[in-house]
Amino acid sequence: MNAVVGVVGYLFRSSFNVANLMDSMLGECASPYVENEVAKVALNHGKALGLVVPRGRALYDVAYDSADERGVIIYGYVIVGDRRLMAKNVIEMSEEELYRTLKEADGSFLIVKLEKDRVWIATDWLGTRPLYYAVISNGIVFSSCFWSILRFFKEINYPIKLDDVAILSYLWLGRIGVIGNRTFIEGVYLAPPGTIITYDLKSRSIQFHRYYQLQYKAEIRNKKLAADLVYYALLKSFKQILDILPKEMKDDMCALLSGGIDSRVTTYILKQYVNNLKALTFGTEKCDEIAIAKRVAKDLRTNHVVKRYDLNQLADYTYETIRLSNSFSVVSTAHAGIVIRMLLENACKVSIVGFALDLTLGGSYLTSFLKTVRNYNEFFTYVLDKSSVLSFEEVSMYLGPRLKQKLRACFMNFKEIVRSYSIYGDNYLNRNDIIFLYTRVRRWTLNGTIIDMCVAEEILPTISRLIMELVAKVDPDLRINHKIYRKILLKLNRKLAIILYNKTWLPPILPTGLWKVGFVFKKINNFIKRISNGRLGLDITYFDFDEALRLKAWRALLYETLLDRKALVYKFGYLKYKPVRNIVVEHLSRKKTHGEKLAYMISLELILREIVKYVSSI
């Protein structure tokens, strides 16, 4: 199984065989599902740049001049003003021009410019298309695919060492790359968002230029004005991206429609521009999301394709999910395997998810408690609690001695990250949102949606700078509990606001005070399902991971990973067998629910197995 598509390359002073190394790296990044188009730019001895993407299913541009040892690859789309920035423009730019241009750039992109003994790597404002890099004694290697870096190390016999702080961050804070952009391997880092990385081979120096940082400042306090501004920004963002899409890609566009507020918004707007848009919905046989999505698709008169599956089926996609996400995902996002197959079955060249509006514009990370916070220590305690998969008590219980030694360092590192992002918000509610935007929302784009890029281009109009710069100016009191989001729904289309919202089982048009009724109803339903062992009550989600883990195929996965005393998580001293076994038994017997914790533990075991393939001993 190969990994996600993207850019690969290196700049070295060595006797490497350029062609062989490039082929190995591109091979690791190739999509196993669709025919790939490969553009390799071997500029000179020890300097190489390449791109592997699904043919006709990706936005990219390449320009190179082998005589002058120059090459540029743009993977994704860069919007400057109302035009798409092309590689031929970038190849002629000086370093200063590149900085100035990117300060105004929007979109979802990765740019690599290689010029003799220097390389520039630029990420978009949120870093939606990842790039990993490693600087070693005689140069730099970089790739969109984490595994191709390991392939490179293996071929040059470079030592591979696990990064314990990154692994602790994964288990404790629920994300990889939050602390110092570390990955699971020491010395391999994820390029930070909104940044230009410059590496100079002659001086062997690396520099980071942060060209963009979103800042939250409550300036818009009028509800109608806020709703109007975001509404028009939303429409403009969609139009900008659709205008630069090639017609043949636009003709085969699909929206992933869960029936939630965000997905119904994106589906509605796209339907205004794309006549033959398909809406794709997936879920278990009785889940409410399919029923709600059907209602949305009917009211919006959109072609609708529904795929039903058994929860057991998703266990077959766990390894695929880990591999294709470059270790960002956890096995609880195994439904990504269903998405890949739906996109292929429906010949989708472009996909879009209703993403991040509910989290940012809807104030999903905000609570009224934040208004009572008096100082930074209280604030940090709150953020840590909301970010943690494991409590401090559980960290002590489940973690092996190897990770416990790193606990204080990890804690202090995260505290510094929270402090560093806090300066970009003018109150605790805004500070909270910007921290979660960069440490949780960003990781979530890399977590799941990066997998879709194996088979189709992904556009992200709802997390454009154009929209987010407005959202960041709206007073958080207007964002919390969907206050202005409801007004935007009504402005777009009244039907969007009167169809049931799957999170509450109530129409989002209702005042938020009534939403509590829906949450109480769902809690009662969940209680009935639990005490009846699932025989009574309604299915409320397309993927109830807690319940999935108790099914036959998922139980088998537990026995193959966490219930195996020889598992790598125990062999390497990351987890302790007995307490982990105990929570597995508690979960399977329904005494307690531990689905989220177990998802990260299973995922780490699968990640370690994948890494071990590249090295004989760690």
Side-chain angles (χ1 to χ4, degrees):
M1 181 68 68
N2 293 318
V4 297
V5 298
V7 179
V8 299
Y10 51 85
L11 177 62
F12 271 75
R13 289 201 183 281
S14 67
S15 57
F16 295 151
N17 184 312
V18 171
N20 289 346
L21 274 174
M22 180 59 70
D23 286 341
S24 295
M25 293 175 71
L26 289 171
E28 289 294 327
C29 278
S31 169
Y33 302 101
V34 295
E35 183 181 6
N36 291 321
E37 181 162 332
V38 178
K40 288 187 286 187
V41 186
L43 294 172
N44 206 335
H45 190 66
K47 303 181 185 72
L49 188 60
L51 177 85
V52 53
V53 295
R55 190 186 303 275
R57 294 168 177 262
L59 286 170
Y60 70 95
D61 193 31
V62 180
Y64 62 94
D65 182 344
S66 57
D68 289 338
E69 299 181 35
R70 299 188 302 171
V72 170
I73 287 178
I74 299 179
Y75 176 43
Y77 56 94
V78 190
I79 299 174
V80 180
D82 288 322
R83 66 183 178 89
R84 181 181 172 191
L85 185 68
M86 307 302 289
K88 66 181 181 181
N89 307 127
V90 176
I91 201 170
E92 299 297 335
M93 288 181 180
S94 65
E95 187 171 9
E96 293 75 18
E97 288 175 311
L98 181 62
Y99 289 179
R100 286 199 303 270
T101 300
L102 290 185
K103 285 191 78 169
E104 306 302 322
D106 206 343
S108 170
F109 61 82
L110 175 62
I111 302 174
V112 176
K113 180 180 181 181
L114 188 59
E115 188 174 288
K116 293 187 178 179
D117 291 327
R118 299 188 84 188
V119 62
W120 291 264
I121 298 166
T123 56
D124 64 58
W125 77 274
L126 195 56
T128 61
R129 296 178 190 250
L131 187 128
Y132 307 88
Y133 68 93
V135 176
I136 58 180
S137 59
N138 54 351
I140 184 172
V141 59
F142 48 88
S143 175
S144 299
C145 174
F146 176 69
W147 312 111
S148 68
I149 300 280
L150 300 192
R151 170 65 64 190
F152 185 93
F153 283 175
K154 183 176 183 178
E155 299 221 1
I156 67 171
N157 296 314
Y158 187 80
I160 297 175
K161 186 177 180 181
L162 292 167
D163 190 314
D164 291 349
V165 173
I167 290 170
L168 177 55
S169 169
Y170 187 72
L171 289 172
W172 183 20
L173 302 174
R175 295 291 187 271
I176 185 69
V178 170
I179 294 179
N181 290 298
R182 294 169 180 252
T183 69
F184 288 106
I185 299 300
E186 282 193 5
V188 180
Y189 298 95
L190 179 68
T195 299
I196 300 173
I197 301 174
T198 306
Y199 178 79
D200 189 296
L201 185 58
K202 288 182 179 178
S203 63
R204 294 182 181 177
S205 63
I206 187 167
Q207 295 181 333
F208 299 84
H209 173 72
R210 189 68 177 260
Y211 71 85
Y212 181 81
Q213 170 67 62
L214 183 67
Q215 300 195 38
Y216 274 70
K217 188 176 182 181
E219 295 178 345
I220 305 173
R221 294 182 170 83
N222 180 284
K223 186 187 294 186
K224 183 180 184 306
L225 177 62
D228 286 348
L229 289 173
V230 177
Y231 166 80
Y232 288 113
L234 192 61
L235 295 181
K236 183 175 181 180
S237 180
F238 272 80
K239 189 174 186 307
Q240 278 184 331
I241 296 176
L242 292 172
D243 283 348
I244 66 170
L245 276 180
K247 184 180 185 301
E248 60 272 17
M249 294 181 74
K250 200 183 309 182
D251 288 343
D252 294 305
M253 182 177 288
C254 294
L256 300 180
L257 177 64
S258 68
I261 296 178
D262 288 355
S263 67
R264 65 181 75 171
V265 166
T266 54
T267 303
Y268 170 76
I269 297 175
L270 282 177
K271 188 68 174 66
Q272 312 311 304
Y273 298 103
V274 182
N275 292 327
N276 55 346
L277 177 72
K278 285 183 182 178
L280 310 182
T281 302
F282 57 93
T284 54
E285 185 65 32
K286 298 182 294 180
C287 76
D288 62 342
E289 294 207 359
I290 288 180
I292 294 172
K294 281 185 173 180
R295 169 80 184 277
V296 173
K298 181 179 179 181
D299 283 358
L300 301 185
R301 299 180 180 179
T302 303
N303 296 328
H304 194 208
V305 180
V306 174
K307 188 179 186 73
R308 292 177 173 83
Y309 61 83
D310 184 272
L311 283 175
N312 263 311
Q313 179 185 359
L314 296 188
D316 295 334
Y317 302 143
T318 52
Y319 168 74
E320 180 179 278
T321 299
I322 297 297
R323 173 74 182 179
L324 295 179
S325 70
N326 286 297
S327 75
F328 266 99
S329 285
V330 290
V331 294
S332 55
T333 58
H335 53 266
I338 296 290
V339 177
I340 285 176
R341 285 153 181 81
M342 287 198 78
L343 291 172
L344 287 173
E345 290 165 3
N346 290 279
C348 302
K349 292 181 179 177
V350 178
S351 71
I352 182 171
V353 293
F355 190 79
L357 288 179
D358 195 28
L359 299 173
T360 55
L361 183 60
S364 295
Y365 286 123
L366 299 179
T367 66
S368 56
F369 172 80
L370 287 164
K371 298 178 182 180
T372 69
V373 170
R374 294 167 296 180
N375 55 55
Y376 173 75
N377 286 334
E378 285 185 6
F379 176 63
F380 173 72
T381 300
Y382 174 86
V383 171
L384 180 63
D385 178 64
K386 292 294 183 182
S387 302
S388 298
V389 175
L390 302 175
S391 67
F392 267 113
E393 181 184 16
E394 290 170 327
V395 163
S396 177
M397 187 183 305
Y398 305 131
L399 296 187
R402 181 168 174 174
L403 291 186
K404 282 186 180 179
Q405 296 174 11
K406 311 287 184 180
L407 193 57
R408 177 169 174 75
C410 187
F411 175 86
M412 297 306 294
N413 285 340
F414 186 62
K415 192 170 187 177
E416 181 54 37
I417 288 164
V418 172
R419 187 183 296 278
S420 67
Y421 276 121
S422 292
I423 66 174
Y424 301 110
D426 59 339
N427 56 54
Y428 283 119
L429 287 96
N430 276 339
R431 289 166 190 155
N432 182 79
D433 253 26
I434 198 162
I435 288 164
F436 278 87
L437 178 68
Y438 277 98
T439 66
R440 318 302 287 181
V441 177
R442 184 205 174 195
R443 304 302 160 185
W444 193 253
T445 66
L446 303 183
N447 179 326
T449 64
I450 189 67
I451 298 177
D452 304 347
M453 292 185 192
C454 293
V455 297
E457 181 57 77
E458 181 188 51
I459 58 173
L460 298 169
T462 60
I463 54 174
S464 71
R465 276 178 55 179
L466 181 67
I467 293 174
M468 288 308 304
E469 285 173 0
L470 272 174
V471 171
K473 292 178 181 177
V474 175
D475 190 293
D477 278 334
L478 297 181
R479 299 199 309 271
I480 197 169
N481 293 328
H482 295 71
K483 288 178 185 175
I484 65 167
Y485 202 174
R486 290 204 308 274
K487 291 184 73 68
I488 292 171
L489 290 176
L490 290 170
K491 198 172 179 66
L492 284 167
N493 184 306
R494 186 175 178 83
K495 292 177 181 178
L496 298 176
I498 62 176
I499 299 173
L500 295 183
Y501 182 28
N502 61 320
K503 286 187 178 180
T504 62
W505 285 345
L506 295 171
I509 194 174
L510 292 178
T512 52
L514 294 178
W515 286 16
K516 293 179 181 179
V517 176
F519 286 121
V520 170
F521 183 37
K522 296 188 92 168
K523 284 185 177 180
I524 294 172
N525 179 77
N526 290 340
F527 175 74
I528 293 172
K529 281 179 66 71
R530 187 170 68 252
I531 63 174
S532 67
N533 289 330
R535 290 188 296 272
L536 301 175
L538 302 172
D539 284 344
I540 62 171
T541 180
Y542 61 85
F543 187 23
D544 183 344
F545 184 69
D546 289 324
E547 190 58 38
L549 267 182
R550 298 179 177 117
L551 301 177
K552 183 178 179 181
W554 289 93
R555 282 175 178 253
L557 182 65
L558 282 167
Y559 278 101
E560 293 166 8
T561 55
L562 300 184
L563 293 180
D564 181 359
R565 286 182 177 271
K566 297 180 180 178
L568 296 179
V569 286
Y570 308 127
K571 179 181 177 181
F572 294 160
Y574 289 133
L575 294 172
K576 292 186 288 191
Y577 175 75
K578 188 174 180 179
V580 171
R581 182 200 64 189
N582 290 342
I583 63 170
V584 171
V585 172
E586 283 183 343
H587 187 87
L588 294 180
S589 64
R590 298 181 184 273
K591 289 182 179 179
K592 290 185 179 180
T593 296
H594 299 291
E596 184 182 28
K597 304 180 191 71
L598 294 174
Y600 282 95
M601 293 175 182
I602 296 169
S603 301
L604 178 59
E605 173 63 21
L606 297 181
I607 290 163
L608 293 175
R609 292 182 184 184
E610 185 65 21
I611 290 173
V612 165
K613 292 179 183 178
Y614 294 93
V615 62
S616 57
S617 62
I618 296 181

